[in-house]
Amino acid sequence: MKILRLLKILFLVVVALALVLLFFANNEPVTLNLLPDAMAEALGIPNAFTTSLFIVVVAALLVGIVVGFVWEWLREHRHRAEAKTQRREANRLSQEVATMKNRSSDTQDDILAIIDDANAAR
């Protein structure tokens, strides 16, 4: 177990080191245009902003991760809904079994009901 934890920490350190190296290698400023020039002028909004290339790369990675998580969450909705339905059915059936046991114990002799209750308590 400790080996897996050590490998996980080592992997995270390597990823962090790679990100730091990527930052220092790509810290030149870049200008991003949000809209085509003609559209930005027609709307009267600022079109471009300047930032570090590393920030653009990290933002693109984060957007990709978020889109991937949302896509997967939506794709698995069917499985979650089926599991919820089966969980409700299992709870309903267990309650039905409990009521059937209680109903059958009502018709038993009092001594047998006491013995069954003692066995259930164990």
Side-chain angles (χ1 to χ4, degrees):
M1 208 56 156
K2 290 190 179 231
I3 293 174
L4 289 176
R5 186 173 185 176
L6 181 65
L7 286 174
K8 180 181 174 183
I9 291 172
L10 183 64
F11 176 74
L12 292 175
V13 167
V14 168
V15 168
L17 182 63
L19 287 175
V20 168
L21 289 175
L22 184 68
F23 171 72
F24 284 123
N26 297 300
N27 60 359
E28 297 88 20
V30 293
T31 301
L32 296 176
N33 293 320
L34 301 176
L35 297 171
D37 291 331
M39 186 183 291
E41 288 176 15
L43 294 174
I45 59 174
N47 182 30
F49 68 95
T50 303
T51 186
S52 174
L53 179 61
F54 177 77
I55 291 177
V56 174
V57 171
V58 170
L61 286 172
L62 290 176
V63 167
I65 288 171
V66 169
V67 167
F69 280 140
V70 169
W71 184 269
E72 191 65 20
W73 183 78
L74 291 173
R75 190 181 70 81
E76 292 176 350
H77 172 72
R78 177 177 34 131
H79 301 294
R80 287 191 311 274
E82 178 67 26
K84 186 176 181 181
T85 303
Q86 288 181 359
R87 198 172 24 242
R88 282 184 187 158
E89 182 69 14
N91 288 338
R92 187 187 64 79
L93 289 174
S94 67
Q95 288 174 354
E96 186 176 333
V97 166
T99 57
M100 295 288 279
K101 282 183 179 179
N102 288 338
R103 195 177 310 149
S104 68
S105 68
D106 291 343
T107 61
Q108 288 181 350
D109 188 27
D110 290 337
I111 301 298
L112 292 176
I114 293 172
I115 292 172
D116 283 344
D117 288 340
N119 286 338
R122 288 184 202 172

